[in-house]
Amino acid sequence: MHFVTAKGILSPTGGMNLYRGCSHGCIYCDSRSKCYQINHDFEDIEVKVNALELLEDALRRRRKPCVIATGAMSDPYLPLEKELRMTRGALELTERYGYGVSLLTKSALVLRDIDILQRIHRKAKCVVQMTLTTHDDELCRILEPNVSTTSERLEALRVLRDAGIPTAVWLSPLLPYINDTEENLRGILDACIEVQARGVVFFGMGMTLREGNREYFFRQLDEHFPGLKARYVREFHNWYAFSRAGSEPLEALFHEICEAHGIMHDNDEIFAWLHDPELCADGEQLSLLDSL
């Protein structure tokens, strides 16, 4: 890892990234794409050394309520977080200034901060989002080699459920000819039902590949799935977004199962729920007394 002094930390909509880069090693990671201009080795994590000072200043001066969101570009619970505790520090500031929080992670390390998450949830709004791509731990270790396994993430979701922290799941990506199967879809959704996830973010049966990400992904296919790269090139050419033919029935099945079990499955609805500070974590409107 290396340290930089940042100029800012909080976007106008409440988004932040304490780190840049990632050590999870996920073979499909879009954050490797050159368009994000990470001008250092992706696994050499950039730490914004003054992030907490910038965050406190931004929260102190902010006038409009918002939900502080993190995890879109870099997981807030990378292994180095055990030592640096930047995410925990950011949560403490978020609680102190009375804001809500929405976390996106693939790590069971989020449970370390369950005490703060519960306090935020009592005062404002707290949602933990967890990415799940496969219900098979062996496949998970190939697709996402340096992060909590699916079973570990599911156990974290159960603990969060029992602690009263609302959760959502990102079922993405479903890679053609790897994890885009009915068995995998049903396995993950059965788990979402069991842990009582409030919503499942789903972008369909497919993936995206851009320059930077594409080259890394193809090297991983050559290593772990010999011959599959040639099939991708033959069927999907140099497309940015794609899925294999005939995936519509599985996409319909996804929406059918979610609807039957009262799980939000419209992405726009989920994102509105996640980021609207006027909606509590249960989806109801916050009253004046609730916010005091």
Side-chain angles (χ1 to χ4, degrees):
M1 63 180 168
H2 65 281
F3 297 88
V4 300
T5 300
K7 295 181 179 179
I9 192 64
L10 198 64
S11 76
T13 58
M16 70 172 179
N17 284 291
L18 302 170
Y19 307 115
R20 276 170 61 86
C22 188
S23 57
H24 287 345
C26 303
I27 72 171
Y28 50 75
C29 182
D30 180 66
S31 294
R32 292 180 181 274
S33 301
K34 288 188 175 181
C35 62
Y36 298 119
Q37 300 180 348
I38 296 181
N39 299 315
H40 55 83
D41 185 79
F42 192 67
E43 284 74 18
D44 179 19
I45 311 302
E46 181 178 285
V47 181
K48 300 174 183 178
V49 68
N50 60 332
L52 297 185
E53 291 85 351
L54 290 172
L55 178 61
E56 182 166 20
D57 181 64
L59 294 178
R60 186 189 300 114
R61 292 186 292 103
R62 196 174 186 93
R63 293 294 176 263
K64 292 184 178 180
C66 71
V67 175
I68 307 303
T70 187
M73 286 296 297
S74 184
D75 198 312
Y77 289 101
L78 297 172
L80 54 75
E81 168 63 20
K82 296 177 184 178
E83 172 190 352
L84 298 181
R85 300 171 71 86
M86 298 275 287
T87 296
R88 185 172 179 87
L91 290 175
E92 290 171 340
L93 289 171
T94 301
E95 179 199 3
R96 184 184 308 166
Y97 287 93
Y99 289 89
V101 68
S102 175
L103 299 168
L104 173 59
T105 184
K106 296 177 183 174
S107 176
L109 181 58
V110 65
L111 295 181
R112 181 202 62 186
D113 296 332
I114 198 168
D115 56 331
I116 306 177
L117 299 178
Q118 286 179 304
R119 294 198 300 268
I120 292 174
H121 182 51
R122 286 194 291 267
K123 295 179 181 178
K125 176 178 187 173
C126 175
V127 181
V128 174
Q129 306 164 71
M130 191 75 76
T131 298
L132 301 176
T133 58
T134 172
H135 74 293
D136 182 341
D137 273 358
E138 291 187 13
L139 181 58
C140 176
R141 291 186 181 97
I142 295 173
L143 301 183
E144 303 150 336
N146 304 320
V147 70
S148 301
T149 62
T150 298
S151 58
E152 291 167 340
R153 289 178 230 174
L154 288 173
E155 179 57 28
L157 287 170
R158 292 185 189 97
V159 173
L160 291 164
R161 174 200 64 195
D162 294 343
I165 304 298
T167 61
V169 165
W170 285 58
L171 204 173
S172 176
L174 291 174
L175 311 171
Y177 305 109
I178 297 177
N179 63 333
D180 63 338
T181 66
E182 180 175 344
E183 177 187 11
N184 188 50
L185 180 68
R186 288 185 179 276
I188 294 176
L189 289 179
D190 285 346
C192 291
I193 294 165
E194 193 265 325
V195 302
Q196 298 176 11
R198 306 293 175 84
V200 179
V201 177
F202 178 68
F203 295 103
M205 310 294 291
M207 67 177 302
T208 60
L209 283 179
R210 289 188 272 206
E211 184 182 5
N213 176 24
R214 180 184 302 273
E215 293 80 3
Y216 183 82
F217 178 68
F218 280 168
R219 288 197 299 271
Q220 298 305 307
L221 289 187
D222 285 338
E223 179 177 350
H224 299 290
F225 306 97
L228 191 52
K229 172 185 172 181
R231 188 169 193 175
Y232 269 66
V233 172
R234 183 173 64 251
E235 292 191 22
F236 309 128
H237 311 287
N238 200 36
W239 299 341
Y240 160 58
F242 53 85
S243 61
R244 64 169 164 169
S247 61
E248 294 83 3
L250 287 181
E251 295 184 8
L253 178 64
F254 163 79
H255 293 291
E256 177 185 324
I257 293 174
C258 289
E259 188 69 22
H261 291 276
I263 298 173
M264 285 188 289
H265 53 101
D266 177 88
N267 289 348
D268 290 340
E269 180 185 6
I270 296 170
F271 293 145
W273 169 67
L274 288 171
H275 300 300
D276 187 345
E278 300 302 322
L279 290 177
C280 73
D282 293 317
E284 299 295 331
Q285 195 78 16
L286 284 170
S287 71
L288 177 61
L289 291 177
D290 289 333
S291 63
L292 294 178

